[in-house]
Amino acid sequence: QQQVKQSPQSLIVQKGGISIINCAYENTAFDYFPWYQQFPGKGPALLIAIRPDVSEKKEGRFTISFNKSAKQFSLHIMDSQPGDSATYFCAASGYNKLIFGAGTRLAVHP
Amino acid sequence: DTAVSQTPKYLVTQMGNDKSIKCEQNLGHDTMYWYKQDSKKFLKIMFSYNNKELIINETVPNRFSPKSPDKAHLNLHINSLELGDSAVYFCASSQVPGSGGTGTDTQYFGPGTRLTVL
């Protein structure tokens, strides 16, 4: 019940395309859903986050869509750039901790 | 200034040895964490401290012992290192543990320590 399932495991997108990463959770006690971005050799860094009382949040080219009834949320990266190539983790907050999805390796080809 | 720092960045050691990783945060946060990231990039929480008190211990072997001398520091000591301990260990901090409902639960990660046990 504390799992967060993330897909796909890896994603290849052409420059300018849209990258979409999906996550699903089971426990309705989770109340904060951040996305973290990790570049090789670096620690994860918060990219964007949403609370379950909001269905969408947009920050620049990054948008989170949240479906509370389906217990699913997704990250959309518009106009994907080679500099977006990284590993992306969704997470859910509950029980005094963040539970991370397994990560998605995104490669944006020029 | 680095918000969350860890030392060392790389650690190569023999099986059976004892080693420590240090973490410091200058964000004024009350909560600190240790995560393990395995070769498949999976991030798993190991420990969490709030105001120097242990609040989460995720069934980590007792060879791993965290120590928090003050709110700004959380060190990880590992006894009798095993091959399976090889991973990247991340320290993180946040203002409050878990979701405070106020946006103060963002976790800030350090750069990681790559531990290789031979």
Side-chain angles (χ1 to χ4, degrees), chain B residues 12 29 34 37 50 55 61 69 110:
Chain B
V12 181
H29 288 164
W34 277 109
Q37 186 171 49
N50 186 52
I55 58 171

Side-chain angles (χ1 to χ4, degrees), chain A residues 50-57 63-68 72-74:
Chain A
I50 198 167
R51 301 203 182 276
D53 52 351
V54 176
S55 61
E56 185 175 283
K57 184 171 182 181
T63 301
I64 301 178
S65 297
F66 190 85
N67 186 330
K68 189 173 181 179
Q72 294 174 348
F73 57 111
S74 60

Side-chain angles (χ1 to χ4, degrees), chain A residues 14-28:
Chain A
Q14 292 299 121
K15 179 182 174 182
I18 302 174
S19 304
I20 302 174
I21 305 171
N22 301 301
C23 285
Y25 64 98
E26 295 178 356
N27 196 324
T28 55

